[in-house]
Amino acid sequence: PSPRTKSREDRIADIVAAALEAFSERGFERTRMEDIAARAHISKGTVYLYFKSKEDVFEGMVRHFILPNVEKAEQLSLLQDMSAEDQLKLFMKIGYTQITKPTTRKITRLIIAEGLRFPHLIEFYYENAIKRAKTAMSFILEQGRQKGEFRDLGAPLCPQVIVCPILFGSLL
């Protein structure tokens, strides 16, 4: 479709894709809204119709690229007709697929590189992606423990121990 006939969702997708490339190339701090607009082939004013700030664009990027799979993981944790072991396997498959996507790798690298200067980016990502996924996985692990599928280790099962090797590998 021509730029004038694109839907709101398509326009947002174009902007966040352009932002991801600009942030990956120049970093969050050095990227200007004009850079994002130029990559999306729109005016800077059009970006501001959809996002009030660069931070808002980052949040939109996370919502677009990351949150759909977080939502899948949350829904998966609520399934009662599946064993906890099968839920965990499917959760890991969804997680691995997400973590190894080029878009996720770029966002993760951006957060690592820019997070100390922009802690609100880390906080947003943690609250909306990491914490939600961790809660869903913890729920699956606890259900499995309660059903006797997983051993009780005397302490809460730690999702980070399961996910960290995959996350680390995705950064290489």
Side-chain angles (χ1 to χ4, degrees):
S2 78
R4 292 186 187 274
T5 62
K6 284 189 174 186
S7 70
R8 176 175 176 78
E9 293 77 24
D10 288 342
R11 185 62 57 113
I12 288 171
D14 289 348
I15 293 168
V16 296
L20 179 61
E21 293 309 312
F23 292 153
S24 296
E25 188 177 293
R26 301 189 55 148
F28 183 81
E29 185 172 30
R30 291 188 327 207
T31 298
R32 300 169 307 149
M33 292 294 262
E34 295 90 343
D35 302 326
I36 296 167
R39 283 181 180 268
H41 307 292
I42 57 177
S43 70
K44 181 173 86 170
T46 302
V47 176
Y48 281 110
L49 289 174
Y50 298 94
F51 300 100
K52 62 184 179 211
S53 66
K54 193 165 53 167
E55 289 80 5
D56 196 31
V57 174
F58 174 84
E59 291 175 10
M61 194 174 66
V62 170
R63 284 187 191 94
H64 179 80
F65 291 115
I66 306 293
L67 293 191
N69 279 327
V70 171
E71 290 164 1
K72 280 184 200 174
E74 288 173 328
Q75 292 167 2
L76 174 65
S77 73
L78 302 175
L79 294 177
Q80 297 298 316
D81 60 342
M82 184 183 283
S83 72
E85 179 182 353
D86 288 342
Q87 282 179 298
L88 184 59
K89 286 178 182 176
L90 191 51
F91 184 99
M92 293 302 297
K93 184 177 181 180
I94 291 168
Y96 179 79
T97 300
Q98 178 67 46
I99 287 171
T100 57
K101 283 182 179 177
T103 52
T104 304
R105 286 179 174 188
K106 287 177 181 179
I107 292 169
T108 303
R109 288 180 179 136
L110 177 67
I111 290 169
I112 290 169
E114 304 275 358
L116 290 177
R117 288 188 302 275
F118 301 97
H120 54 281
L121 300 182
I122 293 174
E123 183 178 337
F124 177 84
Y125 189 76
Y126 178 80
E127 289 295 323
N128 291 279
I130 303 297
K131 185 177 180 181
R132 288 173 59 185
K134 180 180 162 187
T135 300
M137 181 184 262
S138 294
F139 188 74
I140 292 169
L141 293 170
E142 181 57 24
Q143 282 185 305
R145 190 195 63 73
Q146 289 178 4
K147 293 178 187 176
E149 292 182 55
F150 305 136
R151 289 186 296 154
D152 185 350
L153 301 175
L157 292 168
C158 185
Q160 295 95 314
V161 171
I162 297 170
V163 175
C164 280
I166 296 169
L167 182 59
F168 182 74
S170 77
L171 297 174
L172 302 177

